[in-house]
Amino acid sequence: MPPTISRIVQALEPSATIAMATKAKELKAAGHAVYDLSLGEPDFITPPHIRQAAREAMNAGHTHYTAVGGIPELKQAVVDQYRATHGLDYAPNQVVVSNGAKHALHNAFTALLDPGDEVIIPAPYWVSYAELVKLTGAVPAIVQTRQEDDFKLSVDRLRAAVTDKTKILLLCSPSNPTGSMYSRDELGALADAAIERNLLVVADEIYERLVYEGHSFASFATVRPGLQDRVILVNGVSKTYAMTGWRIGWTLSPVNVAKAINGLQSQETSCPSSISQHAAIAALQGPQECVDEMLAEFTRRRAFVMKRIAEIPGLSCAEMAGAFYAFINISEHLGRNYNGKRIDDSTTWCLELLEKQNVATVMGSAFGAEGYARISFATSMENLEAAFEQIEEFVGQ
Ligand code: PMP
Ligand code: GLU
């Protein structure tokens, strides 16, 4: 008899983004030409000055455990960045550096949630939120939003979803998977409702620097006075500096929450990678032109992706204000035959697109929105051009 897996882990959905990327990699390894639009990670290598800082850190002997929540210089660099960019005053003891923003989210949920508590998660949502909530025994309360509302949660829908058990509202802006972003006023209205109903807000702002012209980002903690007392900001270096593999993210939270997260992390992982922490300091404090250059390239790709989606009959997407995803409405192409095979849902559509046309995307159902497919355009223009040829051929059948 194989060992029994715990109930809580049995109930966990594995990450669909990572599952599709793994499938794509396997097909590639088997010799197929795969156009991989599945995983949201910049295709660029980490900028040279950041890599150099890591080399120097190793050579200087920074190869030991560090303070649990990160070395003081990195915490200070995070604090300085929030003061300079958003005018927010945080103290270093409110920062906990973790092994990526995903881990930071896990820490925040684990530190705050008891079994039975509810977390409001607007859908479409990033694949990991609901699962990380479930790991704590708490309950994700999914609230649908609509493409015609730019996939934004309205105050009315928020109010209607709050129960006596609601503890946290989760917001991701700019959004993975839709690229939509709340304005300062919209966040202000949500903040008022959160204050009125005494909710904590976990604000995932990992795409804050990847915002396109004509749109401006507001950090949730800045939209009303005193919000820092009820907000847990989640951020990191993975997306902004093309550092997904270094695994550095953080939370900024009220002191008692930071203390709890620190205690948790001391038992979980001891500390984030010492070398990566030094690289993250270089990222935050070094020249920022690399971010502008990457954003310029994402801007070019976004324009191409929006043009191609508009050109292909039956596909549509809301305009992306930030991040590097397009959440494509494929509903007109569901419920019909593809070479004699009927496709009714986004999972079958995405798997068939991968199998028949070698294009890897992620099914909308994994983000809580049937009738959609997510593509990441954090990949080369050549890859995107070829992938859209394939998508056009696929839906043209
Ligand atoms: N939040 C969002 C919205 C994301 O898309 C990601 C993607 N990885 C993360 C958090 C986690 O980032 P990290 O790689 O730093 O764990
Ligand atoms: N966040 C990225 C994505 O959504 C990376 C994979 C993951 O962590 O889910 O594709």
Side-chain angles (χ1 to χ4, degrees), residues 15 17-18 38-40 102 126-128 176 207 239 325 374:
S15 164
T17 48
I18 291 178
S38 63
L39 203 61
K102 193 183 276 188
W126 176 48
V127 293
S128 294
N176 176 3
Y207 295 103
K239 315 290 170 168
Y325 306 100
R374 189 196 77 173

Side-chain angles (χ1 to χ4, degrees), residues 238-267:
S238 298
K239 315 290 170 168
T240 310
Y241 300 99
M243 291 178 70
T244 48
W246 300 76
R247 311 309 302 132
I248 294 289
W250 55 78
T251 47
L252 288 169
S253 64
V255 174
N256 72 319
V257 178
K259 209 172 153 205
I261 292 176
N262 212 71
L264 171 67
Q265 185 158 292
S266 76
Q267 295 291 17

Side-chain angles (χ1 to χ4, degrees), residues 40 99-105 126 129 172 174-177 204-207 234-239 243-245 247-249 324-325 374:
N99 300 282
K102 193 183 276 188
H103 183 216
L105 283 157
W126 176 48
Y129 295 137
C172 177
S175 155
N176 176 3
D204 183 345
E205 301 186 340
I206 195 153
Y207 295 103
V234 175
N235 215 318
V237 292
S238 298
K239 315 290 170 168
M243 291 178 70
T244 48
R247 311 309 302 132
I248 294 289
F324 38 57
Y325 306 100
R374 189 196 77 173

Side-chain angles (χ1 to χ4, degrees), residues 68-70 74-75 78 95-99 248-251 265 272 277:
V68 170
L74 177 53
K75 288 187 175 192
V78 171
V95 181
V96 182
V97 181
S98 306
N99 300 282
I248 294 289
W250 55 78
T251 47
Q265 185 158 292
Q277 290 186 61

Side-chain angles (χ1 to χ4, degrees), residues 36-318:
D36 187 1
L37 313 185
S38 63
L39 203 61
E41 71 166 336
D43 51 323
F44 313 112
I45 184 173
T46 306
H49 67 280
I50 302 175
R51 287 183 269 138
Q52 181 59 23
R55 270 185 224 108
E56 283 168 15
M58 277 191 277
N59 292 341
H62 296 303
T63 52
H64 302 275
Y65 294 128
T66 71
V68 170
I71 53 179
E73 301 89 318
L74 177 53
K75 288 187 175 192
Q76 191 60 49
V78 171
V79 164
D80 291 347
Q81 202 211 25
Y82 275 80
R83 190 167 297 136
T85 327
H86 302 302
L88 284 169
D89 272 321
Y90 278 100
N93 67 351
Q94 295 181 277
V95 181
V96 182
V97 181
S98 306
N99 300 282
K102 193 183 276 188
H103 183 216
L105 283 157
H106 168 73
N107 279 344
F109 291 143
T110 307
L112 290 166
L113 293 169
D114 280 314
D117 286 345
E118 291 177 5
V119 179
I120 294 181
I121 304 178
Y125 48 76
W126 176 48
V127 293
S128 294
Y129 295 137
E131 302 311 307
L132 292 176
V133 167
K134 283 198 278 180
L135 262 186
T136 68
V139 182
I142 308 298
V143 181
Q144 289 298 330
T145 64
R146 303 180 308 179
Q147 187 174 335
E148 53 269 39
D149 299 331
D150 243 353
F151 297 111
K152 289 178 189 169
L153 177 67
S154 67
V155 172
D156 288 346
R157 283 192 184 213
L158 169 59
R159 284 215 179 95
V162 176
T163 72
D164 292 349
K165 303 228 167 90
T166 311
K167 182 152 186 191
I168 295 177
L169 164 66
L170 183 287
L171 289 176
C172 177
S173 177
S175 155
N176 176 3
T178 66
S180 88
M181 186 171 69
Y182 292 93
S183 68
R184 175 170 288 279
D185 286 350
E186 289 162 343
L187 290 177
L190 292 171
D192 290 339
I195 294 165
E196 174 193 300
R197 303 307 294 264
N198 196 24
L199 305 182
L200 296 171
V201 178
V202 172
D204 183 345
E205 301 186 340
I206 195 153
Y207 295 103
E208 74 161 275
R209 301 278 297 278
L210 303 179
V211 168
Y212 300 104
E213 222 177 292
H215 300 272
S216 71
F217 170 82
S219 175
F220 188 80
T222 65
V223 300
R224 290 289 182 266
L227 268 185
Q228 279 171 261
D229 294 343
R230 66 172 69 244
V231 172
I232 294 90
L233 294 180
V234 175
N235 215 318
V237 292
S238 298
K239 315 290 170 168
T240 310
Y241 300 99
M243 291 178 70
T244 48
W246 300 76
R247 311 309 302 132
I248 294 289
W250 55 78
T251 47
L252 288 169
S253 64
V255 174
N256 72 319
V257 178
K259 209 172 153 205
I261 292 176
N262 212 71
L264 171 67
Q265 185 158 292
S266 76
Q267 295 291 17
E268 270 182 332
T269 62
S270 301
C271 63
S273 150
S274 56
I275 298 153
S276 297
Q277 290 186 61
H278 285 275
I281 295 172
L284 293 176
Q285 295 187 332
Q288 299 296 302
E289 287 77 16
C290 55
V291 180
D292 300 334
E293 284 160 19
M294 289 188 268
L295 182 60
E297 183 55 26
F298 289 137
T299 301
R300 212 164 71 86
R301 296 173 189 177
R302 169 181 172 270
F304 172 78
V305 163
M306 283 178 36
K307 173 173 117 7
R308 291 297 278 133
I309 292 170
E311 277 170 6
I312 300 177
L315 298 185
S316 69
C317 79

Side-chain angles (χ1 to χ4, degrees), residues 373-384:
R374 189 196 77 173
I375 64 158
S376 156
F377 52 91
T379 182
S380 72
M381 200 61 155
E382 298 71 53
N383 204 20
L384 287 168

